[in-house]
Amino acid sequence: MRLEVRGDTAWLACEARIDEIALDEGEHAPDTRNTLLVRATEIYHRDNGDGLPRWRMWHTHISPLPPEDEPRPGFNDTIRARGLGWVPWEPLPEREA
């Protein structure tokens, strides 16, 4: 995950694993577990819409990650090879003054 805050705006980028458990008539059914691997980007702004300085999510985008063995364009690696959660800015880039 990477979170960057600049003034009243922030963005978050991450990869995540979501374990979804289906329900059958209100009961948990552990044998129907479905694991989803996703990437997400979230944009926040410190303004509640009425001008008060409260952090609110203004935009989000979540999409599934490709299969573990599918090469990633531009990097030519795979999730299986690099691991979940690796991002191209590790180590973090130096901040400009």
Side-chain angles (χ1 to χ4, degrees), residues 5 45 73:
V5 179
H45 188 65

Side-chain angles (χ1 to χ4, degrees), residues 28-71:
H28 288 281
D31 59 333
T32 59
R33 174 171 281 186
N34 184 22
T35 298
L36 307 169
L37 299 178
V38 299
R39 57 184 151 216
T41 304
E42 300 172 0
I43 307 295
Y44 294 86
H45 188 65
R46 192 174 6 210
D47 182 337
N48 72 348
D50 292 325
L52 296 175
R54 295 194 182 125
W55 285 105
R56 296 285 189 249
M57 181 187 293
W58 285 81
H59 174 77
T60 186
H61 174 83
I62 302 170
S63 59
L65 283 169
E68 289 185 344
D69 289 327
E70 182 177 309

Side-chain angles (χ1 to χ4, degrees), residues 15-16 36-39 63-72 75-86:
E15 291 181 348
L36 307 169
L37 299 178
V38 299
R39 57 184 151 216
S63 59
L65 283 169
E68 289 185 344
D69 289 327
E70 182 177 309
R72 186 168 55 148
F75 295 93
N76 209 27
D77 62 1
T78 64
I79 294 171
R80 180 167 294 180
R82 66 183 166 87
L84 182 65
W86 186 90

Side-chain angles (χ1 to χ4, degrees), residues 4 8 89 96:
E4 184 139 346
D8 288 334
W89 48 77
E96 295 178 17

